[in-house]
Amino acid sequence: MRQIILDTETTGLDPADGHRIIEIGCVELVNRRLTGNHFHQYLQPDRKIDESAVEVHGITSEFLADKPRFTDVAREFLEFIRGAELVIHNAPFDVGFLNHEFARLGKEEWGQIQEHCQILDTLTLARQMHPGQRNSLDALCKRYSIDNSGRTLHGALLDSEILADVYLAMTGGQTALLLDASQEPQAPNGLQTTLRRMTDRAPLPVIRPSADEIAAHEAYLDRVEKSCGGKSVWRQ
């Protein structure tokens, strides 16, 4: 299973207003392991960057003056992501901008991102897992104890690396308890759930209690039963 964790930075909030992508950052996961392969590129947008956007990511027009344009890297980028599952936080934002960039190059030739990749929105996933709570990337880092101390400003590559850690933490637990081995777990709202059975892991050690520990446990249960006036569930 090949997944690409992706993030972008832009000149503003809406491609319909002519805003463009100025940074793309991607890291690769294969079978839930970071491979070290990545795609990272700053881009010349040929337009002014909103001041409010600069305050978020710190990327200026002066810095981008000598950078390539999207058309210069589009083929390499598409080959990097083609056939993978894209994992994106607030996917409609990034996908909307990417589709806008490809449409500028020719929609019939390039198509849309959804034609080349599956897409998983971790914001939607987080809202299903933690309803009513804050589910920004920073909030998820705090919830899952992910170190994002280097994230003073947004950056596409840094944010994709952090999102990779968050995604693995979010999806690393048991997704379903199968009472019938013939049943497959059903994920909510159309999300795909994969159940992996570990067959190459050494058996977990079984540590038996000593006689003194058993006696102490029985004495504790005696006290529980005396205080509640009934038989404890551990002895039923």
Side-chain angles (χ1 to χ4, degrees), residues 10-13 19 49-58:
T10 64
T11 62
L13 293 177
H19 285 292
I49 305 173
D50 284 359
E51 291 183 6
S52 57
V54 175
E55 292 176 359
V56 171
H57 50 59

Side-chain angles (χ1 to χ4, degrees), residues 110-130:
W110 293 88
Q112 295 189 320
I113 290 295
Q114 297 93 322
E115 299 172 30
H116 306 288
C117 305
Q118 297 182 40
I119 297 169
L120 172 64
D121 186 357
T122 51
L123 179 57
T124 299
L125 179 61
R127 285 170 174 169
Q128 292 171 351
M129 296 175 65
H130 311 290

Side-chain angles (χ1 to χ4, degrees), residues 20 43-44 46 68-76 101 104-105 110:
R20 306 285 305 278
L43 300 169
Q44 161 63 261
D46 292 314
R69 291 167 172 80
F70 185 83
T71 185
D72 300 319
V73 305
R75 187 72 61 186
E76 179 186 1
E101 294 289 350
R104 288 172 59 92
L105 301 181
W110 293 88

Side-chain angles (χ1 to χ4, degrees), residues 20 48 66-67 84 133-134 154:
R20 306 285 305 278
K48 181 181 178 181
D66 61 346
K67 300 301 184 287
Q133 302 182 49
R134 294 179 62 248
H154 288 252

